[in-house]
């Protein structure tokens, strides 16, 4: 999963700009990776299931979802989230 991760590193503040609103893409982070949810119907409003907002690190809150991180494999990885020291947390 981490072989083809783009070199781009997002700060939490920068990630927050990609909230799926006002024409911005819907990016979300989980376990050190940043995903683009823009093309997914589940993220088309920038909010998923009225619980999870784009533009945030969802590593902790994904545990509340009825699915696990495996669903994120459907999304394109666009970079890494700052603070993980280039370490990706395995699923």
């Amino acid at each position: 999963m981490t072989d083809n991760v783009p070199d781009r590193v997002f700060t939490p503040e920068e990630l927050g700009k990609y909230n799926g609103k006002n024409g911005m893409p819907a990016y979300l982070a989980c376990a050190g990776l940043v995903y683009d949810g823009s093309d997914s119907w589940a993220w088309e409003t920038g909010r998923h299931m009225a619980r999870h907002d784009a533009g945030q690190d969802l590593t902790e809150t994904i545990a509340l979802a009825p699915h696990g991180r495996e669903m994120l494999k459907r999304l394109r990885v666009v970079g890494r989230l700052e603070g993980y020291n280039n370490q990706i947390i395995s699923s």
Side-chain angles (χ1 to χ4, degrees), residues 21-91:
K21 298 182 184 344
N22 300 315
M24 292 298 289
Y27 287 3
L28 51 129
C30 184
L33 294 176
V34 177
Y35 298 88
D36 184 353
S38 302
D39 292 333
S40 170
W41 66 267
W43 288 98
E44 65 187 358
T45 65
R47 187 158 227 221
H48 178 60
M49 302 304 291
R51 291 186 179 162
H52 310 289
D53 291 316
Q56 297 183 16
D57 182 358
L58 302 178
T59 303
E60 299 295 325
T61 59
I62 200 164
L64 303 173
H67 58 76
R69 294 182 195 161
E70 73 278 355
M71 294 299 280
L72 298 176
K73 292 178 182 178
R74 299 176 180 184
L75 306 178
R76 182 171 60 97
V77 176
V78 294
R80 298 175 188 265
L81 184 62
E82 178 185 76
Y84 283 87
N85 299 320
N86 293 326
Q87 299 292 322
I88 304 302
I89 300 170
S90 56
S91 45

